[in-house]
Amino acid sequence: MKHVAVQQCINPDCNAQFPVDETHLSCPKCQANGFESLLDIRYDWDRCMVPKSLAGFEYRWMTKGDTGGGALDFSGVWRFRELLPFFNSESDIVTIGEGRTNCQCADRLAKKIGLSHGQLFLQYEGLNPSGSFKDNGMTAAFTHAKMRGAAKVACASTGNTSASLAMFASMSGMLGIVFIGTGKIAYGKLSQALDYGAKTLQVTGDFDSCLKRIRQIATERQDLGIYLMNSVNPFRLEGQKTIMYRVLEALNWEIPDWIVVPGGNLGNCSAFGKAFLELKELGLIDRIPRLAIINAQGANTLHQLVNEDGLKWNGGRFDRQLIQKKYDEMDSQGHRASTIASAIEINRPVNLPKALRAIDIMNGVVREIDDQTILEHKALVGRYGFGCEPASAASVAGAHLLIEEGTIGKHEKVVCILTGHELKDPDATVKYHTGIDVKAVAPDAPRHEVKGKFANQPMLVEDDLEAIISVIKSLKLDE
Ligand code: F0G
């Protein structure tokens, strides 16, 4: 029987469909016509077993353990599996108990940023097993990788994606490969990737160059058998939709007025827009919250394109030339992203078109925040909450700005997504509080002999396709 899910091109002039048991990183048809278009996962909802109301998912809180549906019910992603039914059977699902995160009412912080009592909520995605929201997406993408029989998975990362990929790869016995930019990763995260045994390639470049290389390898060198785990993979975003389901659940299915989220590669905001559109189509909600996407000032491509150049979704016929012009400009000036919020230090967000769509669906806005303001708000989340990493604090700083502007009303209900754990970047925290830069390992720091039996050293490699491929060919899965 035909699968209830397909992969579909988001370009309305194409809409080509591909079965879910294929792997694509963009629409092959549009590619043949000379441009790139992202894919979405679409469902034939009439043939899906979706509960009649969102409260119909609640009983799963009571089932636990790893027998029957227990492990799936335990997962904060797969508890909602009827809303992402792209798998062939439940036995395809790769889960490590991700997505059991908190949505905390933060009244003392609300007071500091000018919101009324009971109106500010912090969604702590840093409480995932690998310490960031990425686990929501990885569980879905690893499920697809397993459906495809993938043995090698890879990503480019500013930190969190690599930690999450490394953890899922080791749990599922796949060879995990991560590309990190030189000097561009918080050590909390590098330590995780190494400890979980991922093969770590430190490429002489930044995140944008790493992502470009790994995409090139996954598409042009299919003989290497690399399955790509970055958020350009549409299955990642299916898992990330569930962050919104959990927010609604925590609010007792009440729809908040605003969702505020940091924007880097723009996967989260894209997933949130899709989640709400689908819930509305399914008649499970009657209203969609507004969206605020917060860029760091030093990595503000979306802010520039939307607020300065007037770029809009336009029913999917957005102005591609405007985007290309911006990228050409950045290239000709040698402009690179630069922010303390290393997780969102990205100038060429791969999900830009989907983010435009999310802004359209959720009547969204985009703002930019400078590094010092991000750090001040990180300190506030630390003092009045469970703490978060710099990129995550951009959401609270953004909410504060929007309240001061009057865009967000004092009595509106606001949910800020705290995407990553405080302990990702302790260097930034200690530097903020003490003025001491304790960045653990500068590239020229003295090195000691590596003696550990399980030592897993990063491999330094030039930003050169052939050099990278020859390293990849030498990698083997550890016993
Ligand atoms: N917040 C944190 C903590 C992140 O790690 C990232 C992305 C983002 C926000 C941005 O999310 O891409 O959905 O807009 N980190 C990626 C990584 C790039 O490699 O870990 P987005």
Side-chain angles (χ1 to χ4, degrees):
M1 199 172 74
K2 205 171 147 245
H3 205 295
V4 295
V6 288
Q7 306 187 65
Q8 183 172 317
C9 176
I10 68 166
N11 171 8
D13 298 320
C14 172
N15 277 339
Q17 294 192 339
F18 308 91
V20 278
D21 59 6
E22 292 181 4
T23 308
H24 303 286
L25 296 175
S26 64
C27 173
K29 235 174 122 186
C30 288
Q31 201 73 47
N33 290 332
F35 63 96
E36 195 177 275
S37 188
L38 297 168
L39 295 174
D40 245 352
I41 311 304
R42 293 287 180 92
Y43 304 99
D44 180 356
W45 293 117
D46 290 339
R47 293 197 294 130
C48 298
M49 305 279 285
V50 182
K52 298 251 173 308
S53 84
L54 283 169
F57 289 104
E58 274 175 18
Y59 75 96
R60 288 187 174 150
W61 265 112
M62 290 182 288
T63 52
K64 284 204 189 95
D66 52 13
T67 50
L72 303 187
D73 290 357
F74 184 78
S75 160
V77 172
W78 299 106
R79 273 195 291 125
F80 299 100
R81 52 194 174 275
E82 288 79 1
L83 295 171
L84 50 152
F86 64 80
F87 45 89
N88 292 322
S89 81
E90 290 188 351
S91 62
D92 290 334
I93 294 176
V94 179
T95 174
I96 59 166
E98 57 290 316
R100 296 181 60 83
T101 57
N102 270 23
C103 186
Q104 181 205 29
C105 181
D107 281 336
R108 294 184 73 202
L109 180 60
K111 203 166 157 192
K112 292 280 167 196
I113 66 170
L115 263 191
S116 306
H117 191 79
Q119 297 300 80
L120 177 65
F121 289 80
L122 302 178
Q123 175 71 18
Y124 281 100
E125 288 304 311
L127 298 179
N128 269 290
S130 81
S132 85
F133 76 88
K134 303 284 178 182
D135 294 352
N136 293 287
M138 283 299 164
T139 186
F142 269 81
T143 296
H144 185 247
K146 185 173 162 195
M147 285 162 66
R148 300 285 298 120
K152 293 180 203 159
V153 295
C155 70
S157 182
T158 58
N160 284 317
T161 308
S162 62
S164 185
L165 173 141
M167 183 181 267
F168 275 91
S170 90
M171 299 298 276
S172 53
M174 296 185 202
L175 176 69
I177 305 169
V178 306
F179 282 34
I180 57 170
T182 298
K184 293 285 184 187
I185 187 165
Y187 286 100
K189 287 291 141 177
L190 179 58
S191 67
Q192 282 182 289
L194 300 179
D195 214 32
Y196 303 144
K199 307 296 177 190
T200 304
L201 271 61
Q202 201 169 337
V203 180
T204 53
D206 60 8
F207 174 83
D208 292 315
S209 351
C210 287
L211 186 55
K212 187 171 151 208
R213 289 292 179 208
I214 193 70
R215 283 181 78 179
Q216 215 175 357
I217 287 165
T219 43
E220 291 168 24
R221 292 298 305 264
Q222 290 183 9
D223 57 306
L224 297 172
I226 303 273
Y227 182 98
L228 189 74
M229 286 289 175
N230 283 97
S231 58
V232 65
N233 176 336
F235 294 93
R236 271 268 313 266
L237 302 192
E238 290 307 292
Q240 287 168 220
K241 292 190 307 193
T242 65
I243 300 172
M244 290 300 104
Y245 308 152
R246 294 198 298 275
V247 163
L248 297 187
E249 184 178 50
L251 300 179
N252 210 12
W253 309 114
E254 188 194 328
I255 312 293
D257 297 299
W258 286 90
I259 302 290
V260 190
V261 63
N265 233 347
L266 306 177
N268 261 336
C269 56
S270 300
F272 299 172
K274 186 171 189 281
F276 282 111
L277 182 68
E278 290 174 348
L279 291 181
K280 187 90 195 308
E281 282 170 358
L282 284 163
L284 292 169
I285 55 172
D286 52 13
R287 177 169 85 80
I288 291 178
R290 295 192 67 185
L291 174 70
I293 307 172
I294 314 299
N295 270 170
Q297 200 169 58
N300 63 353
T301 309
L302 184 70
H303 158 76
Q304 289 186 39
L305 285 168
V306 169
N307 295 331
E308 291 168 12
D309 302 339
L311 183 66
K312 285 197 167 47
W313 171 239
N314 192 25
R317 296 179 182 90
F318 56 91
D319 188 345
R320 289 172 190 274
Q321 279 170 358
L322 206 59
I323 303 173
Q324 196 50 50
K325 197 169 138 239
K326 176 69 60 196
Y327 289 171
D328 291 346
E329 237 169 66
M330 290 191 305
D331 281 348
S332 70
Q333 295 163 1
H335 183 71
R336 290 292 183 188
S338 170
T339 166
I340 182 78
S342 56
I344 52 175
E345 193 175 58
I346 297 171
N347 257 350
R348 292 168 177 264
V350 288
N351 288 299
L352 180 69
K354 288 185 177 175
L356 297 175
R357 182 176 67 179
I359 292 170
D360 188 68
I361 295 167
M362 298 178 70
N363 188 14
V365 298
V366 181
R367 293 292 181 271
E368 59 168 350
I369 300 287
D370 66 69
D371 279 4
Q372 186 57 31
T373 311
I374 287 177
L375 286 175
E376 300 297 357
H377 286 82
K378 184 179 119 43
L380 283 173
V381 177
R383 187 155 311 176
Y384 300 113
F386 311 156
C388 66
E389 67 165 279
S392 311
S395 64
V396 178
H400 194 175
L401 175 71
L402 289 161
I403 293 160
E404 281 180 350
E405 275 179 25
T407 308
I408 294 183
K410 189 173 163 17
H411 302 297
E412 290 194 288
K413 188 154 283 177
V414 178
V415 181
C416 292
I417 311 301
L418 299 184
T419 44
H421 199 280
E422 149 118 65
L423 294 178
K424 166 173 173 180
D425 202 353
D427 299 338
T429 310
V430 173
K431 188 174 172 197
Y432 173 88
H433 290 288
T434 67
I436 304 169
D437 193 345
V438 286
K439 190 107 186 135
V441 191
D444 55 353
R447 307 233 163 185
H448 298 280
E449 194 191 337
V450 178
K451 293 195 184 127
K453 259 206 300 206
F454 302 103
N456 178 22
Q457 293 211 59
M459 291 158 269
L460 203 59
V461 47
E462 280 301 314
D463 181 13
D464 170 79
L465 189 60
E466 290 312 315
I468 293 171
I469 288 174
S470 92
V471 174
I472 288 180
K473 282 187 169 164
S474 72
L475 302 175
K476 288 190 197 65
L477 182 65
D478 299 326
E479 286 306 308

